[in-house]
Amino acid sequence: VEVCSLKMLRTLGVLVVLACSSIYVSAVPKCMGSCDTKDFMCSSTCYTNSENLLCSCEDPPFGDDPAKCKDAEGNDCALQPEVDPTAAVENEDGCKAACVASSDCGAYIFDQILTANRCRLIKECQSQQEAAVPTPCTDCLSGRNCHTCPQLTYTAGATNIHWICDSSGDAYNNEAVEGTKCTPTHRCQIDGDDEAIPAEIECKSPEGGSDMGTWSVGDTPFDEKNCDTQCPCSKITIPKSEDTNLFCDSAEQPVDDANGNWEIDGSTTCDVVCDGQIFIPISCKFNKDGTQTAWHITYGGQDITLDDQTTCFSCSGSNCEEDPNTTAATTKAPTTATPTTATPTTPAPTTAAPTTAPKDKP
């Protein structure tokens, strides 16, 4: 980010000088794969400046002398007893092990200087911009400390939103590494709130010494156990009558409303049965662009969307008309329906009444 300011200088008048300076916003380089939950390290693209350097171990290019480890000022490093300088400069694994054994080490960089191997233990993984390194390192192998967030809890449902993440594997079966971002499969309004479903969630580094990262929306914690929110349809009434019955796929049948009728809320798929002959599935579904839900019926092999204002659906129009608090379906049933196996007792209407479902097959 480049910031410019105006400075006023008086030299035989007023001279305006535009002074610009650059401010770099620090961003920890992302993990380039999974987070090793044994060592809590991941591969990443790390750089460092001298202030960030803890120790640099170099393998002498000639002879059998042991590797030398120096800090940024050229003094011998105060290494942990578990750190073997010779093993640290042998390969990337040795350098990584040296970092894991060092309490202050947050990242490592393994590379070569001419023909000598070098292992640098650093406080944190810096970006190339933050470390002010002019050219990319093409032979560097590096990694940093990492954390993972708990798995997301999957909740099935025709109108439940789910999460797609920018990491390998899905966050429902794997612990996502910090920096992972996820977006919802659908968006919808819930209780009048257009922002009820966040546009993005992110796995962030833990705070307060915890080993587990946290899912967040910005700076606000996000509950991964209740992440698959249902986008509901408004409740719809199915009046109880001699010609209408209702069967649903949930363990419990829909509750009765104050008038003794069935009331469904979109959390289940049901069949409205007319005269015991015509079975009409009714369910809550997303629209094509995935931004809202509506009631749908299946009749004559066609998927029919009910009007947004529909609050009642019945085999007979009079059943809905008897309740002044409901609005009947206005969607017409198709005039060419696929025959059912039931024997019709009356011809099906060619244009369905606004409140009615067909009583038998056409």
Side-chain angles (χ1 to χ4, degrees), residues 206-286:
E207 296 180 358
S210 173
D211 289 333
M212 184 64 71
T214 57
W215 288 103
S216 302
V217 179
D219 294 327
T220 304
F222 179 78
D223 184 5
E224 71 278 354
K225 294 182 179 179
N226 298 292
C227 58
D228 286 3
T229 306
Q230 182 191 46
C231 291
C233 285
S234 58
K235 291 182 179 181
I236 192 168
T237 299
I238 312 295
K240 286 185 177 180
S241 62
E242 292 184 359
D243 64 351
T244 304
N245 210 336
L246 185 73
F247 298 97
C248 299
D249 62 4
S250 59
E252 298 180 2
Q253 289 298 298
V255 297
D256 295 348
D257 66 8
N259 298 317
N261 300 316
W262 291 294
E263 193 174 66
I264 55 178
D265 61 4
S267 61
T268 185
T269 297
C270 301
D271 282 343
V272 177
V273 185
C274 300
D275 284 336
Q277 299 182 30
I278 303 298
F279 288 75
I280 304 175
I282 181 170
S283 61
C284 179
K285 298 180 181 179
F286 283 108

Side-chain angles (χ1 to χ4, degrees), residues 34-47:
S34 61
C35 183
D36 183 353
T37 54
K38 178 182 178 181
D39 299 324
F40 288 99
M41 299 286 288
C42 69
S43 296
S44 187
T45 304
C46 300
Y47 292 84

Side-chain angles (χ1 to χ4, degrees), residues 11-350:
T11 305
L12 301 177
V14 178
L15 176 64
V16 179
V17 178
L18 183 65
C20 299
S21 61
S22 295
I23 300 176
Y24 297 112
V25 179
S26 174
V28 177
K30 292 185 62 175
C31 286
M32 307 297 290
S34 61
C35 183
D36 183 353
T37 54
K38 178 182 178 181
D39 299 324
F40 288 99
M41 299 286 288
C42 69
S43 296
S44 187
T45 304
C46 300
Y47 292 84
T48 188
N49 53 30
S50 58
E51 292 80 7
N52 188 52
L53 179 67
L54 291 173
C55 189
S56 177
C57 298
E58 298 181 16
D59 187 18
F62 306 105
D64 297 327
D65 294 335
K68 303 295 184 182
C69 297
K70 303 290 184 179
D71 61 21
E73 297 177 355
N75 301 314
D76 291 339
C77 297
L79 296 172
Q80 300 287 340
E82 297 84 359
V83 176
D84 180 359
T86 301
V89 298
E90 185 174 349
N91 50 39
E92 182 190 5
D93 288 341
C95 188
K96 173 183 175 181
C99 182
V100 172
S102 302
S103 57
D104 295 332
C105 183
Y108 67 89
I109 304 172
F110 181 81
D111 61 354
Q112 285 189 330
I113 301 178
L114 298 177
T115 60
N117 292 342
R118 178 175 63 170
C119 171
R120 284 176 288 172
L121 308 182
I122 56 181
K123 298 175 184 177
E124 61 183 14
C125 180
Q126 294 181 326
S127 66
Q128 181 183 349
Q129 186 180 44
E130 183 183 9
V133 176
T135 58
C137 181
T138 57
D139 65 342
C140 291
L141 301 173
S142 55
R144 66 173 179 84
N145 286 344
C146 61
H147 298 83
T148 58
C149 287
Q151 295 179 12
L152 302 179
T153 299
Y154 184 87
T155 304
T159 59
N160 281 31
I161 65 100
H162 305 294
W163 296 90
I164 301 173
C165 303
D166 61 356
S167 59
S168 58
D170 67 83
Y172 293 97
N173 291 304
N174 301 280
E175 292 183 353
V177 67
E178 62 184 76
T180 297
K181 296 180 180 180
C182 308
T183 54
T185 53
H186 302 86
R187 301 293 299 278
C188 67
Q189 184 184 85
I190 299 178
D191 295 332
D193 183 4
D194 290 328
E195 304 298 326
I197 307 298
E200 182 181 84
I201 61 175
E202 182 178 357
C203 174
K204 292 192 173 183
S205 301
E207 296 180 358
S210 173
D211 289 333
M212 184 64 71
T214 57
W215 288 103
S216 302
V217 179
D219 294 327
T220 304
F222 179 78
D223 184 5
E224 71 278 354
K225 294 182 179 179
N226 298 292
C227 58
D228 286 3
T229 306
Q230 182 191 46
C231 291
C233 285
S234 58
K235 291 182 179 181
I236 192 168
T237 299
I238 312 295
K240 286 185 177 180
S241 62
E242 292 184 359
D243 64 351
T244 304
N245 210 336
L246 185 73
F247 298 97
C248 299
D249 62 4
S250 59
E252 298 180 2
Q253 289 298 298
V255 297
D256 295 348
D257 66 8
N259 298 317
N261 300 316
W262 291 294
E263 193 174 66
I264 55 178
D265 61 4
S267 61
T268 185
T269 297
C270 301
D271 282 343
V272 177
V273 185
C274 300
D275 284 336
Q277 299 182 30
I278 303 298
F279 288 75
I280 304 175
I282 181 170
S283 61
C284 179
K285 298 180 181 179
F286 283 108
N287 60 5
K288 290 183 177 180
D289 63 7
T291 58
Q292 64 182 20
T293 54
W295 286 105
H296 291 239
I297 63 170
T298 303
Y299 174 62
Q302 297 186 37
D303 182 83
I304 302 169
T305 304
L306 302 184
D307 187 88
D308 289 343
Q309 304 304 314
T310 300
T311 59
C312 182
F313 184 82
S314 176
C315 296
S316 299
S318 59
N319 294 334
C320 285
E321 292 169 0
E322 291 173 359
D323 187 349
N325 297 317
T326 61
T327 302
T330 57
T331 305
K332 294 182 178 181
T335 57
T336 57
T338 303
T340 65
T341 56
T343 302
T345 56
T346 57
T350 57

